[in-house]
Amino acid sequence: MGSSSPPTRRNRAPSSVFSLSLIFLCLLDSSNAQSTPVFACDVAGNPSLAAYGFCNTAIKIEYRVADLVARLTLQEKIGVLTSKLHGVARLGIPTYEWWSEALHGVSYVGPGTRFSGQVPGATSFPQVILTAASFNVSLFQAIGKVVSTEARAMYNVGLAGLTYWSPNVNIFRDPRWGRGQETPGEDPLLSSKYASGYVKGLQETDSSDANRLKVAACCKHYTAYDVDNWKGVERYSFNAVVNQQDLDDTYQPPFKSCVVDGNVASVMCSYNKVNGKPTCADPDLLSGVIRGEWKLNGYIVSDCDSVDVLYKNQHYTKTPEEAAAISINAGLDLNCGYFLGDHTEAAVKAGLVKEAAIDKAITNNFLTLMRLGFFDGDPKKQIYGGLGPKDVCTPANQELAAEAARQGIVLLKNTGALPLSPKTIKTLAVIGPNANVTKTMIGNYEGTPCKYTTPLQGLAGTVHTTYLPGCSNVACAVADVAGSTKLAAASDATVLVIGADQSIEAESRDRVDLNLPGQQQELVTQVAKAAKGPVFLVIMSGGGFDITFAKNDAKIAGILWVGYPGEAGGIATADVIFGRYNPSGRLPMTWYPQSYVEKVPMTNMNMRPDKSNGYPGRTYRFYTGETVYAFGDGLSYTKFSHSLVKAPRLVSLSLEENHVCRSSECQSLNAIGPHCDNAVSGTGGKAFEVHIKVQNGGDREGIHTVFLFTTPPAVHGSPRKHLLGFEKIRLGKMEEAVVKFKVDVCKDLSVVDEVGKRKIGLGQHLLHVGDVKHSLSIRI
C-alpha cells in the first residue's frame, strides 16, 4: 500500500490481507473441511482447561476476563489487538476472525464469513436506505433478529463469526456520497431509531441475562464520515472541518443512540480526520465521548488500516510506534488489520504506551467475546446451539425480505394510472438497464442471496411482458432508442426500470452530478413520447437523481423509487405496480436539482445555510433551495387526512428564584435544570401529548406514516423544521384512528446551540402533521 494514497478497496482491507483472505477462503471452500464453530474453553475435549478461572461459567465475566488477561504474555496480549485474534494454544484459545459484516443480511464481505454447499446463501434484505424509507422501527428490529439468527446458524457450522461490523449509521449529508445507500438517510431521529432498532435485533438474546449477546453489532463510521472519493478528495486524507453545533446536532445522534439506546457492543472509528485529528487517535472522541459520556459496554475498533493510514497517509505521527501508541492511548481497543500487531511491542519498549493500556483494550475485547459465549465451551450446548442450515433462507425470512421491500418502495408520482389492472393490460413493455438485473438489487456489503426475483420476473408473473434492456448497462453510453420506442408504441403500458448500480455509486466512488447516467434520460424521454399507453418509471438507486424532466412530463404517469430492493425486489415492485400492495414508503433523503451540486462542494461539512456566500445548507432541516422531491415525500393509492385532537397552546417553565432569566430578557433556556424536571404548566409533568386523528378517505386499505415535525423559534441557527416523531398506522377504507405522540419539552423541543449545548427556544413553536399546523408557545 503506497504512502500517498491507499488503493481503492471495496472491502476496506489491506490489499495483501484481502488477497490472502481470498486464498484462505478458497482453500476452505474447496475442502469444505470446517464444519464446527470456533470456540474457547473446550473442557469436554481438554479437561485440564477446567482449572482456569476464565473457563468457569459460574463466576462473573469481569472476573473471568481479569483471570485470562493476567495469564497472557505481552506478545500474546498484542495478538488480541488485531482483527485476526491470534490463538493461545496453551490456554485452549483458538484463532478468531473478528471481521464479519451483516449490513442487510449475512455478508461474504470480511474474512470471518463465507458460504458453502452447506449454506449456499442467506436472506438478502433491501439495502438500508430503502428499509429506512419504511419508517417502521419494528421492521428494523425484525430484520436484525432474522439476520442474527442466520448468522448464529452459520456460526454453528463453522461458516461465520459472532462479531459483525454493521450497521452504517452515518448521516446521508450529500446526495453524491457513494455510501449513502448503506445509511438510514439524512435525518438524525430516523437514523437514531434505525440504529438502535437494528442493533437490538442483532444483539438481544432469549436469555434471562441482559448482558448476553446473540451476535455483536458495531456502529460505524465514527464520525462525520461521508466523503469517499470526490474529485480527488479521498477519505484517507480528508479533514472534515465540523463545528460543535453540527457535530452534536447532526453527526453524533445516531452513534449516541447506538450506544445509549441500543447498547451496541462496538463502535468503529473512521478514516478521516475531524478538525485536524484522526478519529482513531482522538482521545476526546473515543475515551471522552464514546466510553466516558455514553458509557460504551464493548470495544472500539478501527476502520480497516486506519491506524496505518494516520501514519502513512495523514503523517500524523513520525513513527509507526507513535501511531500505535497514540491510538491505544486514545481508547482504541482493536485494529482491523495488522498495524498494532506489528508495532505495539516496540511502542511499549520505547515507553510510548504502558502495558496497562493494552490490558484495558484487550479486556474490552475479551468482555465482548465472553458476552457472546465464546468462552463457554461447545456452542451446540448453548442457547442457540440448535440452529443450523435449516434456519437460513426459510420461507418466513424470505417473505420478510419481500415485505421490507414493499414497505420501503416510494411512489413519487401518480397521475391516477397506478395501480395497473392486470385485466386491462394485455401487453406490458419492460425496458431499461435495471429491468432484469440480479446483483444490482442487493447493493453493497452483500451476501449470496437465497434466490433472486428481478423486476422483469415479478411483472411477468402477472401479465404478458415483452422486454428490451434499452442500454447494455446503467452507464448507457449508447441507448437503443429505436428498439425501445417501437416496443413501447406496440404495448398497452410501459415500465422503464433505470437508475444506478455500484459502478455509479459505491464505497470509494462518489458521484459528481445528479443526472441519470449516460443516455438514460434520452431513453426515457423518447420512450415516453412514443408510447401507446401510460409510462411508469422505476428508479433503482441508493441516492436521488434530478428527474425534474420526468416529474414534469405528462406522458410519464408514475414514478417509483425502489432503492436497491434486495433479493425479492421484483416481487415487491410488481406488488406495488399492480396494487396488491398499497405503497407507504417515504423518502428518507432530499432529492436535489443538479444546480445544487454545481454550487455546493461536497467537502463543505456545514449543515446550516450562509447568506453571506450563498451557501444553501443541507438536508430538509436546513436547506433553503428548491427540491425535486423532499424528505418524507411519498404517495398512496388512498387518501389520508389529519386533524388535531389534542395539543397544548401554552407551556410554562417554572424557574428557580435566582434564575438569570427572571430579571433579564432570554431567548432560550438550558435544556437541563429544575425547570425541566417538573415545570410544564397544566400538562402534568415535563411532557405532553399530541393527539392526531388520521382518516383513510379512500376506497382501499393503506398503511400511513404520520410525521410530527416542529419548527422552533429562530434562535441558535435552529432548523427550519425537524422531525419529532413518526408512527406507522394501518387503516381500512373510510377507517379512522387517533395517533398519540408524547413530547418531552426539554428533549424534543430543544435545539443545539453554537457551542453544542441543548437550549429550549422561548416563544412560538409550530407543530405540524401533514397540512395541520398548531402553534405552541413556551414561556417562563
Side-chain angles (χ1 to χ4, degrees):
M1 189 167 67
S3 60
S4 60
S5 176
T8 297
R9 297 187 303 264
R10 183 210 173 293
N11 295 334
R12 301 176 301 120
S15 54
S16 58
V17 172
F18 187 52
S19 57
L20 285 172
S21 298
L22 281 179
I23 293 166
F24 175 64
L25 295 185
C26 290
L27 287 171
L28 275 179
D29 230 354
S30 61
S31 65
N32 210 20
Q34 190 179 2
S35 60
T36 56
V38 174
F39 63 95
C41 296
D42 182 9
V43 175
N46 183 358
S48 67
L49 297 176
Y52 295 131
F54 67 85
C55 289
N56 184 350
T57 59
I59 61 177
K60 286 188 173 180
I61 64 171
E62 291 82 0
Y63 299 135
R64 295 173 67 190
V65 171
D67 176 81
L68 173 54
V69 171
R71 295 177 187 275
L72 299 176
T73 66
L74 175 61
Q75 288 77 16
E76 288 167 342
K77 290 174 182 177
I78 290 168
V80 186
L81 294 172
T82 57
S83 50
K84 184 182 280 290
L85 186 156
H86 294 279
V88 183
R90 66 185 181 87
L91 297 178
I93 301 171
T95 295
Y96 173 74
E97 177 57 65
W98 286 86
W99 180 12
S100 292
E101 303 274 358
L103 183 68
H104 51 107
V106 179
S107 170
Y108 47 57
V109 176
T113 305
R114 66 192 178 91
F115 294 97
S116 74
Q118 225 174 350
V119 181
T123 308
S124 186
F125 290 91
Q127 182 60 291
V128 177
I129 193 71
L130 189 74
T131 295
S134 73
F135 284 87
N136 185 346
V137 176
S138 62
L139 178 66
F140 306 158
Q141 195 159 344
I143 292 172
K145 191 170 183 179
V146 166
V147 173
S148 60
T149 295
E150 294 197 347
R152 271 282 178 175
M154 290 176 66
Y155 168 72
N156 285 346
V157 291
L159 294 172
L162 294 169
T163 46
Y164 289 84
W165 293 346
S166 308
N168 177 344
V169 299
N170 293 117
I171 293 292
F172 195 175
R173 172 189 63 98
D174 189 290
R176 292 163 286 195
W177 188 32
R179 302 189 74 176
Q181 60 179 294
E182 301 172 31
T183 76
E186 70 182 32
D187 179 66
L189 178 73
L190 173 60
S191 297
S192 296
K193 287 188 176 292
Y194 177 85
S196 58
Y198 189 62
V199 165
K200 286 176 182 176
L202 287 175
Q203 292 193 166
E204 288 182 353
T205 71
D206 301 318
S207 159
S208 58
D209 184 352
N211 196 40
R212 286 285 175 164
L213 295 167
K214 191 176 177 188
V215 301
C218 172
C219 288
K220 62 188 187 185
H221 312 79
Y222 180 84
T223 186
Y225 165 68
D226 54 15
V227 175
D228 263 58
N229 188 351
W230 177 76
K231 294 187 175 180
V233 178
E234 286 196 303
R235 56 185 175 170
Y236 308 113
S237 52
F238 179 58
N239 178 31
V241 178
V242 186
N243 63 56
Q244 195 63 46
Q245 185 174 33
D246 286 340
L247 193 66
D248 289 341
D249 181 43
T250 296
Y251 297 108
Q252 295 288 67
F255 292 99
K256 182 177 182 180
S257 185
C258 267
V259 178
V260 175
D261 304 321
N263 191 25
V264 76
S266 177
V267 174
M268 176 184 283
C269 51
S270 55
Y271 288 119
N272 56 291
K273 292 182 281 188
V274 174
N275 299 326
K277 290 183 181 177
T279 62
C280 293
D282 189 336
D284 294 329
L285 285 176
L286 304 189
S287 296
V289 175
I290 298 176
R291 202 167 291 285
E293 289 180 31
W294 300 342
K295 311 296 183 197
L296 173 71
N297 179 19
Y299 67 100
I300 299 174
V301 60
S302 75
D303 203 339
C304 294
D305 303 334
S306 47
V307 185
D308 186 56
V309 163
L310 73 88
Y311 166 62
K312 287 184 181 171
N313 294 79
Q314 298 170 357
H315 308 296
Y316 193 68
T317 63
K318 288 189 172 68
T319 68
E321 294 79 19
E322 288 171 336
I326 200 171
S327 301
I328 294 168
N329 288 331
L332 186 71
D333 301 311
L334 189 72
N335 161 218
C336 177
Y338 296 129
F339 193 88
L340 291 187
D342 293 341
H343 302 292
T344 301
E345 187 172 358
V348 173
K349 288 176 178 173
L352 298 171
V353 63
K354 291 184 168 60
E355 190 169 347
I358 296 167
D359 289 351
K360 195 173 175 184
I362 65 170
T363 293
N364 292 325
N365 299 341
F366 280 137
L367 278 168
T368 304
L369 290 176
M370 289 271 183
R371 293 169 67 199
L372 287 159
F374 187 79
F375 286 88
D376 293 351
D378 188 354
K380 299 279 179 72
K381 297 175 181 173
Q382 295 179 41
I383 185 170
Y384 296 108
L387 295 174
K390 70 182 188 313
D391 301 294
V392 183
C393 286
T394 65
N397 293 356
Q398 293 189 65
E399 172 52 31
L400 185 63
E403 179 61 20
R406 291 183 198 106
Q407 289 195 26
I409 289 173
V410 183
L411 178 62
L412 292 170
K413 176 182 178 180
N414 186 14
T415 61
L418 285 174
L420 285 180
S421 168
K423 293 176 183 175
T424 58
I425 302 295
K426 302 304 179 192
T427 55
L428 179 70
V430 182
I431 300 168
N434 279 340
N436 200 32
V437 291
T438 53
K439 198 164 185 290
T440 298
M441 294 199 300
I442 58 178
N444 68 357
Y445 283 82
E446 75 285 4
T448 304
C450 311
K451 62 182 181 185
Y452 286 111
T453 304
T454 71
L456 175 63
Q457 290 169 333
L459 295 165
T462 302
V463 296
H464 175 70
T465 59
T466 50
Y467 163 64
L468 199 66
C471 304
S472 58
N473 53 44
V474 290
C476 197
V478 179
D480 180 7
V481 173
S484 300
T485 53
K486 184 179 178 183
L487 192 64
S491 304
D492 294 332
T494 301
V495 174
L496 280 154
V497 191
I498 60 168
D501 65 12
Q502 302 305 305
S503 71
I504 302 296
E505 51 180 4
E507 183 171 4
S508 298
R509 184 176 291 118
D510 299 325
R511 289 189 285 163
V512 293
D513 64 53
L514 302 182
N515 299 316
L516 285 171
Q519 297 298 307
Q520 287 192 55
Q521 180 170 332
E522 175 69 7
L523 176 71
V524 172
T525 302
Q526 294 305 322
V527 166
K529 196 180 293 183
K532 179 174 75 171
V535 174
F536 307 101
L537 209 54
V538 174
I539 300 170
M540 194 180 291
S541 69
F545 290 103
D546 184 349
I547 52 165
T548 307
F549 78 96
K551 182 180 179 182
N552 296 336
D553 189 335
K555 289 293 295 289
I556 295 175
I559 302 174
L560 292 97
W561 174 68
V562 300
Y564 293 121
E567 64 171 43
I571 296 169
T573 301
D575 284 347
V576 170
I577 286 175
F578 288 107
R580 293 186 289 266
Y581 187 87
N582 190 348
S584 62
R586 301 290 196 95
L587 284 183
M589 74 298 202
T590 303
W591 285 34
Y592 300 89
Q594 168 62 16
S595 57
Y596 173 76
V597 299
E598 288 168 359
K599 58 191 175 191
V600 176
M602 195 173 170
T603 47
N604 187 330
M605 303 294 289
N606 293 331
M607 301 303 298
R608 288 158 171 79
D610 185 344
K611 287 181 180 175
S612 69
N613 60 16
Y615 182 66
R618 294 185 180 277
T619 76
Y620 82 94
R621 298 170 71 226
F622 301 105
Y623 175 58
T624 54
E626 294 295 315
T627 62
V628 180
Y629 288 106
F631 174 88
D633 276 359
L635 303 171
S636 169
Y637 293 150
T638 187
K639 179 68 176 171
F640 294 98
S641 60
H642 312 93
S643 56
L644 183 68
V645 175
K646 175 185 175 184
R649 290 204 168 274
L650 174 67
V651 170
S652 298
L653 299 179
S654 174
L655 302 183
E656 56 268 38
E657 290 294 327
N658 60 349
H659 197 286
V660 64
C661 291
R662 278 183 171 272
S663 55
S664 60
E665 192 77 19
C666 289
Q667 285 191 312
S668 64
L669 292 173
N670 287 330
I672 54 171
H675 53 275
C676 281
D677 296 334
N678 53 19
V680 181
S681 297
T683 61
K686 66 170 183 171
F688 61 85
E689 288 194 343
V690 175
H691 295 184
I692 301 289
K693 184 166 75 174
V694 185
Q695 183 174 38
N696 178 358
D699 60 359
R700 66 173 65 216
E701 180 186 76
I703 299 171
H704 182 56
T705 301
V706 185
F707 293 116
L708 175 62
F709 289 100
T710 178
T711 297
V715 295
H716 305 301
S718 59
R720 297 172 71 242
K721 71 173 184 176
H722 69 113
L723 191 58
L724 288 190
F726 56 88
E727 291 291 337
K728 296 283 278 193
I729 184 171
R730 183 190 295 268
L731 293 174
K733 59 182 180 180
M734 305 309 294
E735 189 180 355
E736 62 182 42
V738 174
V739 175
K740 299 176 181 179
F741 293 98
K742 190 171 184 179
V743 179
D744 181 310
V745 174
C746 296
K747 178 173 174 282
D748 298 321
L749 296 183
S750 59
V751 297
V752 175
D753 74 4
E754 294 79 358
V755 294
K757 303 293 183 189
R758 293 207 75 90
K759 297 288 181 69
I760 310 155
L762 297 174
Q764 294 300 117
H765 292 246
L766 189 66
L767 302 177
H768 31 118
V769 177
D771 296 331
V772 175
K773 291 181 168 52
H774 174 76
S775 189
L776 163 70
S777 180
I778 299 183
R779 298 179 190 167
I780 53 176

